[in-house]
Amino acid sequence: MRKIILAAAAGAAALTLAACSEGTQDAAGETVDSAAADAEANADAMGTAVEDAATDAGNAVEGATEEATAAADEAAAAAEAEVQDESTAEAQAD
């Protein structure tokens, strides 16, 4: 009689555990899907931020290069004007 009661209790515990396990599996699956969606959204946001930073850096380098080129041209024209005893405009025209 004790064995039958123990077997019945073990069976009931197994059924309870199985039912709980299915619900837990569903919840775990939803959690994984949610975490994957969050990770994807974060990766997209990070990618956009990196692209924007790269664009800004490229624009800054381009602007600095243009300014440096203009300053070098002006300095060269001023040096040529000094050496050839002419105006800066005449030196730039040469």
PDB file of all heavy atoms in Angstrom, residues 63-91:
ATOM      1  N   GLY A  63      37.422  69.216 -44.521  1.00  0.00           N
ATOM      2  CA  GLY A  63      37.461  70.659 -44.287  1.00  0.00           C
ATOM      3  C   GLY A  63      38.847  71.126 -43.886  1.00  0.00           C
ATOM      4  O   GLY A  63      39.333  72.160 -44.360  1.00  0.00           O
ATOM      5  N   ALA A  64      39.512  70.359 -43.036  1.00  0.00           N
ATOM      6  CA  ALA A  64      40.867  70.732 -42.607  1.00  0.00           C
ATOM      7  C   ALA A  64      41.843  70.664 -43.776  1.00  0.00           C
ATOM      8  O   ALA A  64      42.735  71.515 -43.893  1.00  0.00           O
ATOM      9  CB  ALA A  64      41.331  69.804 -41.487  1.00  0.00           C
ATOM     10  N   THR A  65      41.680  69.689 -44.646  1.00  0.00           N
ATOM     11  CA  THR A  65      42.551  69.557 -45.819  1.00  0.00           C
ATOM     12  C   THR A  65      42.374  70.736 -46.759  1.00  0.00           C
ATOM     13  O   THR A  65      43.362  71.289 -47.273  1.00  0.00           O
ATOM     14  CB  THR A  65      42.250  68.239 -46.567  1.00  0.00           C
ATOM     15  OG1 THR A  65      42.435  67.156 -45.669  1.00  0.00           O
ATOM     16  CG2 THR A  65      43.143  68.055 -47.761  1.00  0.00           C
ATOM     17  N   GLU A  66      41.127  71.128 -46.977  1.00  0.00           N
ATOM     18  CA  GLU A  66      40.865  72.276 -47.854  1.00  0.00           C
ATOM     19  C   GLU A  66      41.459  73.559 -47.271  1.00  0.00           C
ATOM     20  O   GLU A  66      42.040  74.372 -48.006  1.00  0.00           O
ATOM     21  CB  GLU A  66      39.361  72.422 -48.080  1.00  0.00           C
ATOM     22  CG  GLU A  66      38.772  71.311 -48.943  1.00  0.00           C
ATOM     23  CD  GLU A  66      37.259  71.350 -49.024  1.00  0.00           C
ATOM     24  OE1 GLU A  66      36.635  72.238 -48.384  1.00  0.00           O
ATOM     25  OE2 GLU A  66      36.693  70.503 -49.723  1.00  0.00           O
ATOM     26  N   GLU A  67      41.319  73.733 -45.959  1.00  0.00           N
ATOM     27  CA  GLU A  67      41.876  74.924 -45.312  1.00  0.00           C
ATOM     28  C   GLU A  67      43.404  74.921 -45.376  1.00  0.00           C
ATOM     29  O   GLU A  67      44.021  75.970 -45.627  1.00  0.00           O
ATOM     30  CB  GLU A  67      41.421  74.998 -43.857  1.00  0.00           C
ATOM     31  CG  GLU A  67      39.945  75.316 -43.692  1.00  0.00           C
ATOM     32  CD  GLU A  67      39.490  75.262 -42.242  1.00  0.00           C
ATOM     33  OE1 GLU A  67      40.345  75.160 -41.341  1.00  0.00           O
ATOM     34  OE2 GLU A  67      38.268  75.310 -42.013  1.00  0.00           O
ATOM     35  N   ALA A  68      44.003  73.774 -45.180  1.00  0.00           N
ATOM     36  CA  ALA A  68      45.468  73.674 -45.234  1.00  0.00           C
ATOM     37  C   ALA A  68      45.976  73.941 -46.649  1.00  0.00           C
ATOM     38  O   ALA A  68      46.998  74.616 -46.840  1.00  0.00           O
ATOM     39  CB  ALA A  68      45.924  72.300 -44.755  1.00  0.00           C
ATOM     40  N   THR A  69      45.270  73.435 -47.634  1.00  0.00           N
ATOM     41  CA  THR A  69      45.657  73.669 -49.029  1.00  0.00           C
ATOM     42  C   THR A  69      45.562  75.155 -49.373  1.00  0.00           C
ATOM     43  O   THR A  69      46.473  75.711 -50.012  1.00  0.00           O
ATOM     44  CB  THR A  69      44.755  72.853 -49.973  1.00  0.00           C
ATOM     45  OG1 THR A  69      44.888  71.470 -49.657  1.00  0.00           O
ATOM     46  CG2 THR A  69      45.128  73.067 -51.427  1.00  0.00           C
ATOM     47  N   ALA A  70      44.490  75.802 -48.954  1.00  0.00           N
ATOM     48  CA  ALA A  70      44.330  77.239 -49.225  1.00  0.00           C
ATOM     49  C   ALA A  70      45.421  78.042 -48.522  1.00  0.00           C
ATOM     50  O   ALA A  70      46.005  78.969 -49.117  1.00  0.00           O
ATOM     51  CB  ALA A  70      42.947  77.708 -48.760  1.00  0.00           C
ATOM     52  N   ALA A  71      45.747  77.690 -47.287  1.00  0.00           N
ATOM     53  CA  ALA A  71      46.800  78.402 -46.561  1.00  0.00           C
ATOM     54  C   ALA A  71      48.156  78.187 -47.216  1.00  0.00           C
ATOM     55  O   ALA A  71      48.966  79.127 -47.314  1.00  0.00           O
ATOM     56  CB  ALA A  71      46.836  77.926 -45.098  1.00  0.00           C
ATOM     57  N   ALA A  72      48.423  76.979 -47.707  1.00  0.00           N
ATOM     58  CA  ALA A  72      49.694  76.697 -48.381  1.00  0.00           C
ATOM     59  C   ALA A  72      49.791  77.478 -49.686  1.00  0.00           C
ATOM     60  O   ALA A  72      50.861  78.009 -50.021  1.00  0.00           O
ATOM     61  CB  ALA A  72      49.832  75.198 -48.635  1.00  0.00           C
ATOM     62  N   ASP A  73      48.693  77.547 -50.419  1.00  0.00           N
ATOM     63  CA  ASP A  73      48.682  78.319 -51.670  1.00  0.00           C
ATOM     64  C   ASP A  73      48.941  79.804 -51.409  1.00  0.00           C
ATOM     65  O   ASP A  73      49.699  80.453 -52.133  1.00  0.00           O
ATOM     66  CB  ASP A  73      47.340  78.142 -52.389  1.00  0.00           C
ATOM     67  CG  ASP A  73      47.172  76.766 -53.017  1.00  0.00           C
ATOM     68  OD1 ASP A  73      48.184  76.031 -53.148  1.00  0.00           O
ATOM     69  OD2 ASP A  73      46.020  76.422 -53.376  1.00  0.00           O
ATOM     70  N   GLU A  74      48.320  80.334 -50.365  1.00  0.00           N
ATOM     71  CA  GLU A  74      48.525  81.745 -50.020  1.00  0.00           C
ATOM     72  C   GLU A  74      49.966  81.999 -49.578  1.00  0.00           C
ATOM     73  O   GLU A  74      50.574  83.015 -49.966  1.00  0.00           O
ATOM     74  CB  GLU A  74      47.559  82.175 -48.916  1.00  0.00           C
ATOM     75  CG  GLU A  74      46.110  82.263 -49.363  1.00  0.00           C
ATOM     76  CD  GLU A  74      45.160  82.621 -48.237  1.00  0.00           C
ATOM     77  OE1 GLU A  74      45.618  83.143 -47.199  1.00  0.00           O
ATOM     78  OE2 GLU A  74      43.957  82.373 -48.393  1.00  0.00           O
ATOM     79  N   ALA A  75      50.520  81.094 -48.802  1.00  0.00           N
ATOM     80  CA  ALA A  75      51.902  81.252 -48.344  1.00  0.00           C
ATOM     81  C   ALA A  75      52.866  81.166 -49.521  1.00  0.00           C
ATOM     82  O   ALA A  75      53.837  81.942 -49.600  1.00  0.00           O
ATOM     83  CB  ALA A  75      52.240  80.185 -47.306  1.00  0.00           C
ATOM     84  N   ALA A  76      52.608  80.261 -50.454  1.00  0.00           N
ATOM     85  CA  ALA A  76      53.472  80.128 -51.633  1.00  0.00           C
ATOM     86  C   ALA A  76      53.392  81.385 -52.496  1.00  0.00           C
ATOM     87  O   ALA A  76      54.420  81.870 -52.999  1.00  0.00           O
ATOM     88  CB  ALA A  76      53.073  78.900 -52.444  1.00  0.00           C
ATOM     89  N   ALA A  77      52.186  81.918 -52.661  1.00  0.00           N
ATOM     90  CA  ALA A  77      52.023  83.133 -53.457  1.00  0.00           C
ATOM     91  C   ALA A  77      52.712  84.314 -52.786  1.00  0.00           C
ATOM     92  O   ALA A  77      53.366  85.139 -53.452  1.00  0.00           O
ATOM     93  CB  ALA A  77      50.541  83.428 -53.660  1.00  0.00           C
ATOM     94  N   ALA A  78      52.624  84.408 -51.459  1.00  0.00           N
ATOM     95  CA  ALA A  78      53.279  85.498 -50.737  1.00  0.00           C
ATOM     96  C   ALA A  78      54.799  85.380 -50.857  1.00  0.00           C
ATOM     97  O   ALA A  78      55.498  86.389 -51.055  1.00  0.00           O
ATOM     98  CB  ALA A  78      52.858  85.484 -49.275  1.00  0.00           C
ATOM     99  N   ALA A  79      55.316  84.159 -50.758  1.00  0.00           N
ATOM    100  CA  ALA A  79      56.771  83.963 -50.881  1.00  0.00           C
ATOM    101  C   ALA A  79      57.239  84.304 -52.290  1.00  0.00           C
ATOM    102  O   ALA A  79      58.271  84.962 -52.476  1.00  0.00           O
ATOM    103  CB  ALA A  79      57.133  82.520 -50.545  1.00  0.00           C
ATOM    104  N   GLU A  80      56.493  83.859 -53.297  1.00  0.00           N
ATOM    105  CA  GLU A  80      56.866  84.176 -54.688  1.00  0.00           C
ATOM    106  C   GLU A  80      56.790  85.674 -54.949  1.00  0.00           C
ATOM    107  O   GLU A  80      57.666  86.246 -55.614  1.00  0.00           O
ATOM    108  CB  GLU A  80      55.937  83.431 -55.658  1.00  0.00           C
ATOM    109  CG  GLU A  80      56.285  83.656 -57.129  1.00  0.00           C
ATOM    110  CD  GLU A  80      55.350  82.952 -58.090  1.00  0.00           C
ATOM    111  OE1 GLU A  80      54.646  82.008 -57.686  1.00  0.00           O
ATOM    112  OE2 GLU A  80      55.318  83.362 -59.258  1.00  0.00           O
ATOM    113  N   ALA A  81      55.752  86.330 -54.414  1.00  0.00           N
ATOM    114  CA  ALA A  81      55.611  87.773 -54.597  1.00  0.00           C
ATOM    115  C   ALA A  81      56.791  88.497 -53.969  1.00  0.00           C
ATOM    116  O   ALA A  81      57.316  89.461 -54.540  1.00  0.00           O
ATOM    117  CB  ALA A  81      54.297  88.244 -53.970  1.00  0.00           C
ATOM    118  N   GLU A  82      57.245  88.039 -52.804  1.00  0.00           N
ATOM    119  CA  GLU A  82      58.386  88.661 -52.128  1.00  0.00           C
ATOM    120  C   GLU A  82      59.666  88.485 -52.937  1.00  0.00           C
ATOM    121  O   GLU A  82      60.445  89.429 -53.116  1.00  0.00           O
ATOM    122  CB  GLU A  82      58.534  88.041 -50.727  1.00  0.00           C
ATOM    123  CG  GLU A  82      59.624  88.632 -49.878  1.00  0.00           C
ATOM    124  CD  GLU A  82      59.316  90.051 -49.425  1.00  0.00           C
ATOM    125  OE1 GLU A  82      58.134  90.406 -49.263  1.00  0.00           O
ATOM    126  OE2 GLU A  82      60.271  90.820 -49.222  1.00  0.00           O
ATOM    127  N   VAL A  83      59.876  87.278 -53.449  1.00  0.00           N
ATOM    128  CA  VAL A  83      61.121  86.979 -54.175  1.00  0.00           C
ATOM    129  C   VAL A  83      61.161  87.704 -55.511  1.00  0.00           C
ATOM    130  O   VAL A  83      62.207  88.246 -55.915  1.00  0.00           O
ATOM    131  CB  VAL A  83      61.267  85.449 -54.377  1.00  0.00           C
ATOM    132  CG1 VAL A  83      62.384  85.118 -55.341  1.00  0.00           C
ATOM    133  CG2 VAL A  83      61.493  84.764 -53.038  1.00  0.00           C
ATOM    134  N   GLN A  84      60.035  87.745 -56.208  1.00  0.00           N
ATOM    135  CA  GLN A  84      60.017  88.342 -57.549  1.00  0.00           C
ATOM    136  C   GLN A  84      59.582  89.799 -57.533  1.00  0.00           C
ATOM    137  O   GLN A  84      59.400  90.398 -58.600  1.00  0.00           O
ATOM    138  CB  GLN A  84      59.094  87.515 -58.455  1.00  0.00           C
ATOM    139  CG  GLN A  84      59.638  86.109 -58.682  1.00  0.00           C
ATOM    140  CD  GLN A  84      58.784  85.308 -59.649  1.00  0.00           C
ATOM    141  OE1 GLN A  84      57.773  85.784 -60.158  1.00  0.00           O
ATOM    142  NE2 GLN A  84      59.187  84.086 -59.904  1.00  0.00           N
ATOM    143  N   ASP A  85      59.422  90.354 -56.360  1.00  0.00           N
ATOM    144  CA  ASP A  85      59.059  91.766 -56.200  1.00  0.00           C
ATOM    145  C   ASP A  85      57.796  92.107 -57.001  1.00  0.00           C
ATOM    146  O   ASP A  85      57.786  92.992 -57.855  1.00  0.00           O
ATOM    147  CB  ASP A  85      60.207  92.684 -56.610  1.00  0.00           C
ATOM    148  CG  ASP A  85      60.002  94.091 -56.084  1.00  0.00           C
ATOM    149  OD1 ASP A  85      59.354  94.239 -55.031  1.00  0.00           O
ATOM    150  OD2 ASP A  85      60.496  95.046 -56.745  1.00  0.00           O
ATOM    151  N   GLU A  86      56.731  91.327 -56.734  1.00  0.00           N
ATOM    152  CA  GLU A  86      55.446  91.562 -57.392  1.00  0.00           C
ATOM    153  C   GLU A  86      54.348  91.415 -56.357  1.00  0.00           C
ATOM    154  O   GLU A  86      54.590  91.017 -55.223  1.00  0.00           O
ATOM    155  CB  GLU A  86      55.245  90.583 -58.555  1.00  0.00           C
ATOM    156  CG  GLU A  86      55.291  89.134 -58.184  1.00  0.00           C
ATOM    157  CD  GLU A  86      55.266  88.173 -59.376  1.00  0.00           C
ATOM    158  OE1 GLU A  86      55.375  88.607 -60.517  1.00  0.00           O
ATOM    159  OE2 GLU A  86      55.130  86.965 -59.133  1.00  0.00           O
ATOM    160  N   SER A  87      53.122  91.712 -56.765  1.00  0.00           N
ATOM    161  CA  SER A  87      52.005  91.589 -55.833  1.00  0.00           C
ATOM    162  C   SER A  87      51.623  90.105 -55.664  1.00  0.00           C
ATOM    163  O   SER A  87      51.977  89.281 -56.499  1.00  0.00           O
ATOM    164  CB  SER A  87      50.790  92.373 -56.334  1.00  0.00           C
ATOM    165  OG  SER A  87      50.239  91.748 -57.474  1.00  0.00           O
ATOM    166  N   THR A  88      50.879  89.851 -54.610  1.00  0.00           N
ATOM    167  CA  THR A  88      50.433  88.479 -54.356  1.00  0.00           C
ATOM    168  C   THR A  88      49.502  88.008 -55.479  1.00  0.00           C
ATOM    169  O   THR A  88      49.566  86.874 -55.901  1.00  0.00           O
ATOM    170  CB  THR A  88      49.716  88.382 -53.003  1.00  0.00           C
ATOM    171  OG1 THR A  88      50.565  88.907 -51.979  1.00  0.00           O
ATOM    172  CG2 THR A  88      49.324  86.978 -52.645  1.00  0.00           C
ATOM    173  N   ALA A  89      48.665  88.895 -55.989  1.00  0.00           N
ATOM    174  CA  ALA A  89      47.758  88.543 -57.075  1.00  0.00           C
ATOM    175  C   ALA A  89      48.549  88.166 -58.317  1.00  0.00           C
ATOM    176  O   ALA A  89      48.201  87.204 -59.012  1.00  0.00           O
ATOM    177  CB  ALA A  89      46.820  89.709 -57.376  1.00  0.00           C
ATOM    178  N   GLU A  90      49.625  88.904 -58.617  1.00  0.00           N
ATOM    179  CA  GLU A  90      50.474  88.572 -59.786  1.00  0.00           C
ATOM    180  C   GLU A  90      51.163  87.228 -59.585  1.00  0.00           C
ATOM    181  O   GLU A  90      51.284  86.429 -60.518  1.00  0.00           O
ATOM    182  CB  GLU A  90      51.508  89.669 -60.039  1.00  0.00           C
ATOM    183  CG  GLU A  90      50.922  90.986 -60.520  1.00  0.00           C
ATOM    184  CD  GLU A  90      51.948  92.094 -60.571  1.00  0.00           C
ATOM    185  OE1 GLU A  90      52.908  92.065 -59.749  1.00  0.00           O
ATOM    186  OE2 GLU A  90      51.792  92.996 -61.409  1.00  0.00           O
ATOM    187  N   ALA A  91      51.601  86.964 -58.342  1.00  0.00           N
ATOM    188  CA  ALA A  91      52.270  85.700 -58.040  1.00  0.00           C
ATOM    189  C   ALA A  91      51.297  84.531 -58.170  1.00  0.00           C
ATOM    190  O   ALA A  91      51.661  83.467 -58.659  1.00  0.00           O
ATOM    191  CB  ALA A  91      52.882  85.733 -56.659  1.00  0.00           C
TER     192      ALA A  91
END
